[in-house]
Amino acid sequence: MSKVAFVFPGQGSQYVGMGKDLYERSDLARSFFEKADSILGFPLSSICFSGPEEELRQTRNTQPAIFLHSIVLVNLLKNPRADMTTGHSLGEYTALVFAGALRFEDGLQLVRLRGELMQQAGSQQPGTMAAVIGLERQTIEQICSEASEVGVVKPANLNAPGQDVISGSVPGVRRAMDLAQARKAKMVKELPVSGAFHSPLMQSAQEGLKDTLQKSDIRDARIPVYSNVTAKPMQKAAEVRSLLVEQLTSPVRWEESVRAMVQDGSRTFVEIGPGKVLQGLIRRTGSQVNVIGIDTWEDLSKL
């Protein structure tokens, strides 16, 4: 029998107005948004619904906002059953809550802290990220190696064939962008981010998060959660804890994770949360799978 995978989006999928229709139409959704505001001690729900965009785009707000929206949606599904799950960067925390390894309350506080620490690391060690479209991964690795003469730069998001993101210091990334253009990349674009995520420049965030993760109540997951770091399934609490720490400075091996899930029998991928980024990336892997997205009340009604 073909299996179902739930996948959860990460930073960059947010938009002003996200979740407002859910809040207005469902008591259960309203209770989640109100609970989140109460736990965090500020009106995250109104930032989701009304912005302003600059406020929603702050990493410390973006991460809990996307997490919350995804969790509300998955709780509004009737009998949400999946055989395996994963998420892109921040989305891995959402996947872990869905898989029962983290409680909602703990997951929310962790992603808020993670966002704050990443934003701080970006201020202390300024960096940037850039999307590179249309080059082989090996070429991107060579480019990063050459550009690292002028500053730190590494592959950060290995998203889909010919679609990757690099991350590091501003001089390192900009040098790599020049080299990518010289190698005839189809597109090279700097991203509007507050730091060099998934690079060595996130080390201070990693140290701060490690202390909290060590004290967090993490349990064994009830279904396999495919790790961004290894692109392999994880279920044991100890492994989850250590891989979440590693994740902050390691590349997100998204394409490999999708291929591993297909290999392990998944034929339907359901993206749960704002936007359509992951649906596009999954389709680009060329796997013969069914891809669905759930973002709004209307999407839920269609199901």
Side-chain angles (χ1 to χ4, degrees), residues 113-236:
L113 174 66
R114 182 180 184 269
E116 284 175 338
L117 290 168
M118 287 169 77
Q119 199 163 327
Q120 277 167 25
S123 301
Q124 291 158 5
Q125 292 257 50
T128 189
M129 300 176 80
V132 181
I133 311 287
L135 289 182
E136 295 284 327
R137 196 152 289 152
Q138 205 176 346
T139 307
I140 290 176
E141 283 166 6
Q142 285 166 356
I143 282 168
C144 288
S145 172
E146 284 174 45
S148 60
E149 289 172 10
V150 298
V152 174
V153 57
K154 301 264 183 191
N157 298 344
L158 311 175
N159 283 334
Q163 187 167 332
D164 292 333
V165 174
I166 57 173
S167 179
S169 66
V170 174
V173 169
R174 295 215 172 129
R175 176 79 181 118
M177 288 171 74
D178 291 342
L179 291 169
Q181 276 160 341
R183 307 270 172 101
K184 302 286 188 286
K186 283 184 191 161
M187 190 184 87
V188 182
K189 184 184 178 189
E190 196 165 341
L191 302 176
V193 291
S194 61
F197 305 151
H198 298 286
S199 86
L201 299 187
M202 284 291 119
Q203 202 159 353
S204 62
Q206 188 179 49
E207 281 154 20
L209 192 63
K210 185 179 183 178
D211 294 343
T212 306
L213 279 167
Q214 239 129 35
K215 298 175 208 139
S216 297
D217 177 21
I218 298 176
R219 289 157 285 186
D220 291 354
R222 51 184 177 75
I223 58 171
V225 181
Y226 285 67
S227 161
N228 287 184
V229 176
T230 63
K232 290 178 180 155
M234 57 179 177
Q235 277 185 266
K236 292 283 175 217

